Amino acid sequence: FVAEITPALGYGRTIFHVLEPSRVDGLARYTADAEGNLRAAAPVLPGVTYAVTARLPLYSAGQIRETPRFDPRSADAPAMARYLQLPDVPERVLRLAREITAGQEHPYDQAVAIESYLRRMRYTLTPPATPPGRDFVDYFLFVLQEGYCTYYASAMVVMLRAVGIPARFVEGFAIPASSPYTVDDRGWRIYEARNSQAHAWVEAYFPGYGWVTFDPTPRADLPVISRNA
């Protein structure tokens, strides 16, 4: 998959891309960290177009269920340790994660159970503020039970880590399939990505398979990610 990006504003050295990037054309030099975040050697000026070649994974629930549970003694454990760290959250948050996943044997099905639980809550862009001194995730799960993407993604990451599944919080843009677009003379679709389309979601790690995307935010325009390939 190749996407051409033309920033309308200055975002410093940030290079935008889709999921798993493998190559950048149109910028002199860039670096990539272990998580695939791309940074240009110099600030990318507004109006400069670059192209990113990326892999778009088609997830298979059947294949993921064939992977073993993450072993903290495995060779990749040191690299995954950061994705299992937990803040000092109230015990009831950890207990809720265990209750939601009880009866689900494979970590994938545990992740789906947590995603499904959160998607039953109410989406709103105007939730009340978390009171000073209250844990953000605890207050969301047990008091508010409504919010926007960062609330849901934060809660899912904490709950996944609570049951031993490496997980990370991801931020970017989500352009719904219903978004308007134009077509250029090559037949390529051109979408506008606006700040209003900023979104947060979750990736969970399954040994031997890799990072898999989950979206626990209950937005009608962003359906559950297909994992039936």
Side-chain angles (χ1 to χ4, degrees), residues 77-144:
M80 290 295 110
R82 63 183 295 191
Y83 304 112
L84 287 167
Q85 292 179 347
L86 279 168
D88 186 19
V89 296
E91 174 61 28
R92 65 178 180 174
V93 173
L94 311 182
R95 186 166 58 249
L96 177 62
R98 294 190 291 266
E99 291 173 355
I100 293 171
T101 57
Q104 303 294 341
E105 183 175 347
H106 195 275
Y108 170 76
D109 295 301
Q110 293 177 338
V112 171
I114 293 172
E115 180 187 51
S116 299
Y117 176 87
L118 293 171
R119 288 187 73 97
R120 291 196 294 267
M121 295 183 182
R122 194 176 82 91
Y123 179 77
T124 177
L125 290 171
T126 56
T130 302
R134 292 293 299 271
D135 180 81
F136 178 76
V137 169
D138 177 82
Y139 189 72
F140 165 63
L141 289 173
F142 293 97
V143 181
L144 283 182

